[in-house]
Amino acid sequence: MNESPDAGNQNPPASAAGGGTQDCDVLVVGGGINGVGIARDLAGRGWRVVLVEQDDLGAHTSSASSKLIHGGLRYLEYYEFAMVRKALLEREVLLRSAPHIIRPLRFVMPHEPTMRPVWWIRLGLFLYDHLARREVLPGSQAIDLRRHPVGTALQDRLVRGFVYSDGWVDDARLVVLNALDAHERGAKFRPRTRCVAAQRSVAGWTASLQATDGQQSSVTARLLVNAAGPWAETFLRSVARSDHGEVLATRHQRLVKGSHIVVPRCFDHDHAYVFQDPQKRIIFAIPYEEHFTMIGTTDSQFTGDPGEPRIDVDETAYLCEQASRYFKRSITPADVVWSFSGVRPLFGDTSGALSAITRDYLLESNTGAAPLLSVWGGKITTYRKLAEEAANEIGRALGECRDPWTEKSSLPGGDLRAWIGSLQRPDLDIERFIRAVRERYHWIEPSLAERLSRAYGSRIDRVLDDARQVSHLGEEVAPGLFEVELRYLCREEWALAAEDVLWRRSKLGLHYAAAESQRVAEWLEGNASKPSL
């Protein structure tokens, strides 16, 4: 299989469309993880929020990550202790907020004697274990790869290794869950709608919007949030204008392409691997979608359209070569069944090596006339903290400071208490929940029950829509994908095109033949835009 196709031009759902002018407190431009996280936090504090996104929610950088909730072990080498600690603290907050889409993951780091010395690795792992309090994740340990099961897949020359903890996340669903929570708290979402102009005045911002079907509308807002990710600088240079007409951009971004490949499963356990190339760059090999292994990422300068990054031949060869340096089984480009690329916007001192540029974030306020807040940089692990700090700053700019709330709050589907009673530990809770789902929906195939449980959590009842037997699920449009789930995705999760369903709301596209994916596309073409859905 090749990279997933671009989404076609689809009419937005009736709830997202509209002409005329809409008034709000805050207009957020950008539907990636930072934009939807900010919209969620603001809506929960009672502000009127409108979010616009030129494509599907999470269509770009936020669905092309390495799928990790991690502190960034390698950034200790660059003395970014504050950033790492902040991310480590967030790991467990996120694990508790959404145990259905975020789970603990143990990482194996084989030791290469020619690279970092053992004492250096031990020191780094000690800091990683102790920079922030851990209640869910176990600490690191040294292992003998000749005796430990994780050593079986590795080359015989590798005899010593280390194991440490981080987390895995379904990144695209994390975006959607934040959007769902924001929407249910009153935020208005306008996906597939481009902000083509934003004019600032003393009275506020007036933004001109254009949907993919050509429909035009406008929004007035007291404050504008630029969360456009790789487009953040372009937005300030070519779209947003001050009351005097000058350009609002104050800094430059450096765009970096990161690519991943997916190959048939390379090992038979649930740990991931961390490999180092000869230049001491990090490559992950992660269990993926049960039958596959995901390998990445690359770092390369990017100068094209951030919406259309593609892995190139050299990147594929590099990832295969580095994985083959460690695994017994050689991996070649012919093994690649899927690949994806994303563009990361980096800021700060961008003159050095790409891998050394900070992944921290900066919130830049411009309070001349109507306030403007721009988001620079960031990583998926710290999105919630970024959103909280952004909402605090927005409150100060609007003169209405309101209390933060997201740290102890579950994302949609993440509160499992109604199913399993008192909570214990997120990874144990989700297993108890899956067993409860299988018992209640005993007539569903166990594999389908588990997939739905991990995708939707405690919202699974809303997905299955009071079904009591398989015939109530409607047509099985593709293996394990019934009409009832497709209707839910269109009705509540802004899905319109096949790519939305097969490559972001799920990864079913990885498991389907071309004809099966085509049936999903045809069903959506005939049903997704109907108001009754």
Side-chain angles (χ1 to χ4, degrees), residues 45-318:
R45 300 193 199 199
W47 278 300
R48 297 172 302 148
V49 181
V50 173
L51 182 145
V52 296
E53 160 58 41
Q54 62 185 345
D55 296 306
D56 183 28
L57 298 174
H60 301 294
T61 304
S62 295
S63 59
S65 76
S66 295
K67 326 297 181 195
L68 298 181
I69 298 296
H70 65 140
L73 178 61
R74 68 189 177 95
Y75 296 111
L76 293 176
E77 209 165 25
Y78 302 108
Y79 307 109
E80 294 207 47
F81 300 117
M83 184 192 77
V84 173
R85 184 175 188 276
K86 179 164 52 181
L88 291 174
L89 287 168
E90 283 298 293
R91 285 186 318 186
E92 301 214 358
V93 172
L94 297 181
L95 282 164
R96 294 186 186 282
S97 72
H100 52 317
I101 65 163
I102 304 175
R103 65 173 185 265
L105 183 61
R106 293 287 272 173
F107 287 80
V108 181
M109 181 190 300
H111 180 248
E112 283 274 30
T114 59
M115 297 184 182
R116 295 170 176 87
V118 169
W119 70 265
W120 183 256
I121 295 174
R122 287 186 182 276
L123 175 61
L125 291 174
F126 177 84
L127 290 172
Y128 207 62
D129 284 344
H130 294 91
L131 274 175
R133 181 179 178 183
R134 287 180 294 106
E135 295 181 351
V136 175
L137 299 174
S140 61
Q141 65 182 98
I143 60 170
D144 184 340
L145 293 173
R146 295 167 297 186
R147 294 177 173 82
H148 198 287
V150 300
T152 304
L154 300 175
Q155 294 183 13
D156 292 338
R157 64 182 172 82
L158 301 166
V159 300
R160 191 174 194 176
F162 300 88
V163 179
Y164 68 93
S165 294
D166 265 321
W168 181 92
V169 62
D170 185 330
D171 52 4
R173 289 210 59 76
L174 184 66
V175 174
V176 169
L177 295 190
N178 275 270
L180 277 172
D181 203 10
H183 179 69
E184 290 171 0
R185 295 175 188 274
K188 307 300 181 184
F189 280 76
R190 308 281 291 277
R192 301 171 181 84
T193 301
R194 185 185 300 272
C195 180
V196 296
Q199 182 63 51
R200 184 189 214 175
S201 70
V202 174
W205 289 90
T206 300
S208 300
L209 311 180
Q210 183 170 342
T212 53
D213 65 352
Q215 186 175 19
Q216 297 183 346
S217 59
S218 63
V219 172
T220 59
R222 299 164 62 193
L223 184 146
L224 175 67
V225 174
N226 169 22
W231 290 271
E233 181 183 346
T234 301
F235 177 78
L236 293 181
R237 294 190 183 279
S238 61
V239 178
R241 284 290 181 267
S242 75
D243 47 340
H244 300 297
E246 69 265 20
V247 174
L248 292 168
T250 61
R251 61 184 65 244
H252 294 283
Q253 289 178 304
R254 191 170 183 180
L255 300 184
V256 176
K257 181 177 66 168
S259 296
H260 297 76
I261 59 174
V262 177
V263 300
R265 187 170 55 191
C266 299
F267 45 89
D268 294 322
H269 55 78
D270 60 0
H271 285 41
Y273 291 96
V274 181
F275 301 146
Q276 301 174 49
D277 74 5
Q279 286 72 48
K280 299 186 178 181
R281 285 203 65 256
I282 295 298
I283 303 296
F284 295 107
I286 302 169
Y288 195 61
E289 287 292 306
E290 187 177 0
H291 302 298
F292 303 95
T293 298
M294 183 180 72
I295 302 172
T297 181
T298 60
D299 276 322
S300 61
Q301 187 78 27
F302 186 78
T303 57
D305 180 354
E308 298 183 355
R310 293 289 184 271
I311 193 169
D312 59 39
V313 172
D314 290 342
E315 287 178 300
T316 300
Y318 167 79

Side-chain angles (χ1 to χ4, degrees), residues 10 496 519-530 532-533:
Q10 300 284 331
L496 286 180
R519 287 201 294 273
V520 177
E522 291 170 356
W523 189 95
L524 289 164
E525 288 170 4
N527 294 274
S529 60
K530 292 182 178 180
S532 61
L533 298 179

